[in-house]
């Protein structure tokens, strides 16, 4: 299979910024597939947990019986990316009005750590493979106390804003809200590496 083979990228479509991620996936020449149930996980190469309201998404995962299927998907080795609320749901522990998480990343997520919607901001990433990338934060969490197996890919004001542990990635910002494609391209490249 070539590096240009089309990959099917699932986007958890319980709540949140699904359409913006679908557009970002299209910009890196992959196919976006909405995931509303466990069966949809069967035919996809990677998965995005979008930003949104982590409490609402968590309730949706419970209602749809998706916690265990999502954990099994990640354990299969296929790439998973969580952005903002999606990052919260991937953490081993959640602070500040905790929600049930998937426990797939060895990190503590502090919800709404930068304040409310009016405290939203954008800043350039510092260091790592995504240095200089414009990061948009909207009621963003902070990722604290990363475990030994967690790689910090980008920081803003010294705080981790993008991390990776094996095949599971998280950003506290919204890469789908800019023209920047490095995050989505990295996810597709990781799926291609499995071929």
């Amino acid at each position: 299979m070539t590096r240009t083979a089309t990959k099917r990228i699932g986007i958890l479509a319980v709540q949140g910024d699904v359409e913006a991620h679908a557009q970002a996936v299209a910009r890196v020449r992959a196919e976006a597939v909405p995931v509303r149930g466990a069966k949809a996980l069967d035919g996809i190469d990677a998965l995005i947990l979008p930003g949104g309201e982590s409490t609402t998404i968590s309730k949706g995962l419970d209602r749809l019986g998706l916690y265990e299927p999502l954990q099994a998907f990640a354990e299969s080795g296929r790439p998973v990316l969580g952005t903002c609320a999606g990052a919260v749901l991937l953490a081993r522990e959640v602070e500040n009005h905790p929600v049930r998480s998937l426990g797939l990343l060895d990190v503590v997520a502090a919800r709404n750590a930068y304040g409310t919607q009016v405290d939203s901001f954008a800043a350039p990433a510092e260091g790592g493979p995504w240095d200089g990338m414009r990061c948009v934060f909207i009621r963003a969490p902070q990722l604290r106390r990363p475990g030994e197996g967690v790689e910090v890919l980008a920081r803003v004001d010294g705080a981790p804003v993008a991390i990776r542990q094996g095949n599971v990635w998280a950003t506290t910002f919204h890469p789908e809200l800019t023209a920047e494609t490095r995050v989505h391209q990295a996810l597709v490249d990781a799926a291609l590496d499995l071929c």
Side-chain angles (χ1 to χ4, degrees):
M1 191 171 289
T2 69
R3 297 294 293 181
T4 58
T6 298
K7 288 295 173 187
R8 302 182 81 230
I9 310 300
I11 303 172
L12 183 68
V14 173
Q15 188 267 343
D17 207 355
V18 177
E19 181 56 33
H21 272 294
Q23 292 173 11
V25 166
R27 285 196 296 274
V28 295
R29 296 177 304 282
E31 177 186 355
V33 178
V35 173
R36 297 186 179 91
K39 192 158 184 63
L41 295 170
D42 292 342
I44 59 173
D45 302 297
L47 176 67
I48 296 172
L49 280 62
E53 171 49 50
S54 57
T55 301
T56 302
I57 298 173
S58 174
K59 289 177 180 176
L61 296 184
D62 259 336
R63 186 180 69 253
L64 297 168
L66 275 172
Y67 272 95
E68 289 74 20
L70 291 178
Q71 289 166 329
F73 182 90
E75 289 164 1
S76 76
R78 288 174 282 179
V80 176
L81 167 67
T83 62
C84 197
V88 170
L89 292 167
L90 290 172
R92 73 168 187 269
E93 183 181 337
V94 180
E95 294 179 341
N96 193 12
H97 303 291
V99 295
R100 180 181 173 191
S101 66
L102 293 158
L104 295 170
L105 274 175
D106 188 9
V107 69
V108 176
R111 296 177 65 201
N112 303 326
Y114 294 98
T116 64
Q117 190 94 8
V118 297
D119 300 307
S120 301
F121 67 101
E126 303 158 351
W130 299 333
D131 186 51
M133 179 169 50
R134 184 172 180 260
C135 304
V136 177
F137 298 89
I138 303 171
R139 291 195 311 146
Q142 286 185 351
L143 302 175
R144 300 173 178 165
R145 303 195 295 278
E148 287 184 12
V150 175
E151 176 186 7
V152 176
L153 300 173
R155 296 178 184 271
V156 167
D157 293 332
V161 298
I163 63 173
R164 177 181 184 179
Q165 183 176 3
N167 61 311
V168 182
W169 315 50
T171 70
T172 61
F173 57 91
H174 291 266
E176 76 280 10
L177 295 182
T178 70
E180 175 67 58
T181 60
R182 279 184 277 181
V183 174
H184 290 85
Q185 186 64 60
L187 188 71
V188 172
D189 288 346
L192 286 164
D193 287 343
L194 295 177
C195 298

